[in-house]
Structures are given as C-alpha cells and as structure tokens.
Amino acid sequence: LKDGCRLPDYLETIALLAPLLSFHSRMQVHSALVLLAIMTGPLAKALHHGPAVLGRYTQMTRTCMRASLSMSSQQSAKKKVVFLGTPEVAARSLERLCQRASEAGTWEISAVVTQPAQMQGRGKAKKLTPSPVAAAAEKIGIPVLAPERAKDEVFLETLEELSPDLCITAAYGQWLPKRFLNCPRLGTLNIHPSLLPRWRGASPIQRSLEAGDEKAGVTVLWTVAKMDAGPIAGQVQRPLIGDEKAPMLLDEMFTAGTDLLADLLPAVFDGDCAPESSQVQEESGVVAADKISAEEAQVSFGTNSATTVHNKVRGFAGWPGVWSWFWVGDASEPGRFKLITTRVADPEEIPESSWGKQEVVVLNGRLLVPCQVDGSLLEVLELQAPGKRAVDAKAFANGLRGEAMRWE
C-alpha cells in the first residue's frame, strides 16, 4: 500500500496465481484480499488509482472467493450453511456452531458474511479493524464476505453461486433483501434474544430489562422481509430475578439460542422443521424494541422511581450506561455520576426526616437515594465519579469524608 504504483500489478498477479494455489493457501489469500478491499476503497484517491483499479480489484476478489468456495463445496458433500453476524456475541455463536458442525459431521459453515472493517482506536493507534466475526472466521479458516450492503450485486452473485442449503443470522446488522432470502434452499434462520413477538427490533434484551420483565428468552425464527416477524422454529426462556444486566444476559441468550438452533438442524435438513410448519407469531403480542440512544441515559430522582432507575441501570449496562447530576460538598457545579450497580431498597431503612430533601443518605457505608416521585428508595452499590474509575459504595462513602451529596 505504501508503493501505490505497484498495487494494481500485485493484485493482478494474485488473481492469476489463485487457481494454482492449494485450498488452504487460497483461503489465506482471500483473507488478505478482503482486508485490501476494505483498505483500498478509502485510500483510492490518496493512491491516485481511481475507479478502474477498484473495478479490477473487485473482479479479482470475486474470482478468488469463488475459487475458494468452489473447492470447499467439491471437497465435501455436507450441507452448506452460511453464517451472518458481526459483534462479539455473534463470533461466539459462530465458534459454537463450528463445534456443533464438527460433532454432527453432516453440515458445515461454508462461508461467513459480516460487516466491513471499521476504523477503531484514537490518534496514532487508530486502525482498520475487522469485525469480531471476521476475526473468528479467519482464525477457523472459513471464507469471509464483507459487503458494504447485503444488496450488493457482487455479493449476491457470489452467494448464489455458492448455493447454500441454509443461512443463519446472529446480530448481522443489515437488512436482507428478497433476493438474498430466495438464495438458500431451505431458508434463513435467525437467533433473536427475546420471546417473540415481544420485543421485535434492535435492542430486545435492553428493553426487556428496562421494562422489568419477569422472564427473558431467545427465539430461533425463520427470516422474512418484515423485521423479526417470521415463523418461530423454537424458543428457550428463563426467569429473571432482578439483578441481571444486559451484557451478561445477552451472552447467555445467544449461547442458548445457538445450541437451540443447532438442535433444530437435523429436523430442518430432513424437512420436518420448515417455515410452513413453524409457529406463526401473534401480531397482537408485538412490542417494539427500539434502538437505544445516548439521550435516554440520564435519570432524575425527582421524576423517576427507584424501580425505574434500577431497571434502566440493568438494561443500559455497558452502553450507554445511566447517569445523573450530583452536587458534592460545596462544589460550584454538579458532577455527572454514572450509576453502575443498584438495587431497590426498603424505604423504612432511612429516617423519616430524610424524605423531602434532595440528599443522598450515607448510612454505614451505604448510599441511599430517596425518590420523591413515589417515596421509593434506591441503593447505589457501585458508581463512577467524573474522570474516576468505578468504585463500590463503601469506598465512595469513605472518600466523601463527611461531605454532603445532593442530587439535582
């Protein structure tokens, strides 16, 4: 890439040699080409190559990928499955599915589809980073496709030539066009971390915890054009005790959903589990799981109850988190404190004189916040002051050294 004038010749040489390479070497070459594709696009103007080189590169990538996929399909009579996913939870699902495929011996993950690499880091450390799913696939040795959009012509042509028996999606992050859905012979199964039809949308676990649901679960469903609306192939549910947080529960649900899907595959391949024989969702039970925004992270103890704040802390754990303004001592302005872990306490645990004030009650190393809206009491177990690391309540209370703390 530093020597831009030779990049086109380098890529063309790879394309000519690709058919002569072993399958394993071809897979390694393809992995390098995927990264070059992602890097060459943003750098095209800087390298002064223009559209012509990018066009030749696209054709070379397609040729190399097709050769890899063709060799893979020729070497195995197993059912071909294409996996689509992007984040870390999906990477763990991919790894688990590969393990289950090895145990079954009748199907395999033939290719992986993921979002393109993104720039990550700050300053000089900023670099182009493949998605966790791409990294996992490269480590396992599975060909990777990373189209900008799932409707890209080259991507769809490549997928159609692979002719998969089944596609599996797990937090892929892109809308799938009708042409894609028509590609796999048996259809596309999706792992969705909620008890559908409740919580259709982008943030099912977060919204479920925020709402204070008494149970959570995961659904394996057939993908249709309408988001999360396809027939249900299977579900797993678990009770919630009230202290679960979104990151942990999301991991748990994707693990359970992956195993459920793998358990269903023999029936899927035999034709006993199909869209027409699966459970139709009741539209009357649909609840939307809208995407979370950073603007939702602020809470106020004057307008929110202890239960509301506690459930939001659970649901918004990780990102975007939950915060509120607090005054400490004689500070000239309030600080933005992040609430990490909380619980709903018994209002009788604090003196009656503490009510009606906007003060945090510090009692034996505990931080108790009276909520004026309904007379409920929130205990803050862990918090993070501005510019500081997160600490437990006792450590923070000791650091106050008798100073008062008030919420705004």
Side-chain angles (χ1 to χ4, degrees):
L1 286 174
K2 289 182 179 178
D3 190 359
C5 63
R6 293 209 302 255
L7 181 59
D9 295 335
Y10 173 67
L11 293 175
E12 287 171 359
T13 301
I14 290 177
L16 290 172
L17 290 175
L20 305 178
L21 299 173
S22 67
F23 173 63
H24 178 71
S25 297
R26 219 175 288 162
M27 299 261 270
Q28 290 180 319
V29 168
H30 168 71
S31 299
L33 286 176
V34 167
L35 293 177
L36 280 171
I38 298 164
M39 290 187 287
T40 303
L43 293 177
K45 290 184 179 179
L47 296 175
H48 304 289
H49 292 326
V53 169
L54 293 181
R56 289 204 301 275
Y57 166 71
T58 299
Q59 182 61 42
M60 284 182 274
T61 303
R62 183 199 296 184
T63 299
C64 193
M65 184 61 172
R66 285 175 175 172
S68 296
L69 294 177
S70 175
M71 180 67 76
S72 177
S73 61
Q74 290 172 9
Q75 290 183 345
S76 174
K78 298 176 181 179
K79 295 290 190 298
K80 292 180 289 185
V81 177
V82 172
F83 179 87
L84 295 87
T86 299
E88 192 64 46
V89 288
R92 286 191 283 272
S93 290
L94 172 62
E95 292 167 347
R96 179 61 176 155
L97 284 172
C98 288
Q99 180 184 344
R100 292 293 299 267
S102 178
E103 294 169 357
T106 57
W107 57 277
E108 64 182 2
I109 305 295
S110 301
V112 163
V113 182
T114 189
Q115 299 268 33
Q118 301 291 326
M119 296 299 295
Q120 294 183 3
R122 295 181 179 179
K124 294 182 179 180
K126 195 171 185 179
K127 63 180 180 178
L128 201 62
T129 306
S131 74
V133 163
E138 297 290 347
K139 184 177 180 180
I140 297 169
I142 304 173
V144 177
L145 287 166
E148 287 290 336
R149 296 178 181 81
K151 65 179 182 179
D152 287 354
E153 182 70 19
V154 172
F155 164 66
L156 291 173
E157 286 181 5
T158 304
L159 191 67
E160 287 166 347
E161 290 190 11
L162 174 60
S163 187
D165 295 289
L166 181 74
C167 287
I168 294 172
T169 61
Y172 172 47
Q174 286 199 34
W175 174 79
L176 300 176
K178 185 177 181 180
R179 183 176 169 185
F180 174 95
L181 297 178
N182 290 337
C183 184
R185 179 175 63 86
L186 298 171
T188 298
L189 284 171
N190 178 36
I191 302 172
H192 183 80
S194 85
L195 294 173
L196 289 171
R198 185 170 176 82
W199 303 123
R200 284 185 189 173
S203 306
I205 288 291
Q206 295 92 328
R207 295 304 184 189
S208 176
L209 293 177
E210 182 189 19
D213 286 355
E214 295 182 354
K215 60 183 179 180
V218 61
T219 301
V220 174
L221 69 152
W222 296 97
T223 302
V224 296
K226 187 176 180 180
M227 185 172 62
D228 302 329
I232 295 173
Q235 284 186 330
V236 173
Q237 69 177 46
R238 59 152 286 184
L240 297 175
I241 62 175
D243 62 358
E244 301 86 355
K245 292 183 179 180
M248 176 274 293
L249 188 58
L250 188 66
D251 284 348
E252 181 184 331
M253 291 298 96
F254 266 100
T255 298
T258 302
D259 282 331
L260 172 61
L261 188 149
D263 291 340
L264 290 170
L265 287 184
V268 170
F269 294 138
D270 289 343
D272 296 329
C273 178
E276 55 271 15
S277 61
S278 297
Q279 178 186 344
V280 177
Q281 293 190 41
E282 293 288 342
E283 291 296 315
S284 60
V286 173
V287 179
D290 296 333
K291 186 176 181 179
I292 290 173
S293 67
E295 289 71 25
E296 298 179 72
Q298 183 179 4
V299 294
S300 169
F301 301 102
T303 57
N304 297 133
S305 68
T307 297
T308 297
V309 175
H310 173 62
N311 287 336
K312 182 167 279 193
V313 168
R314 297 167 59 213
F316 288 19
W319 189 91
V322 169
W323 63 273
S324 191
W325 295 110
F326 287 93
W327 298 81
V328 176
D330 57 358
S332 60
E333 58 183 25
R336 179 168 160 164
F337 285 74
K338 191 171 183 178
L339 307 179
I340 308 296
T341 307
T342 59
R343 77 174 186 91
V344 178
D346 184 348
E348 295 185 2
E349 292 188 59
I350 62 174
E352 189 173 341
S353 59
S354 299
W355 293 96
K357 301 177 182 179
Q358 294 182 207
E359 290 187 3
V360 177
V361 178
V362 182
L363 185 64
N364 299 323
R366 299 169 67 194
L367 301 175
L368 302 162
V369 187
C371 299
Q372 293 183 351
V373 67
D374 65 347
S376 57
L377 186 66
L378 182 79
E379 181 172 3
V380 179
L381 303 175
E382 187 180 7
L383 73 166
Q384 184 175 4
K388 306 290 185 179
R389 63 181 179 87
V391 296
D392 61 30
K394 185 175 182 179
F396 184 83
N398 290 338
L400 286 175
R401 302 182 186 278
E403 289 188 310
M405 184 176 185
R406 298 175 290 115
W407 54 264
E408 186 178 63

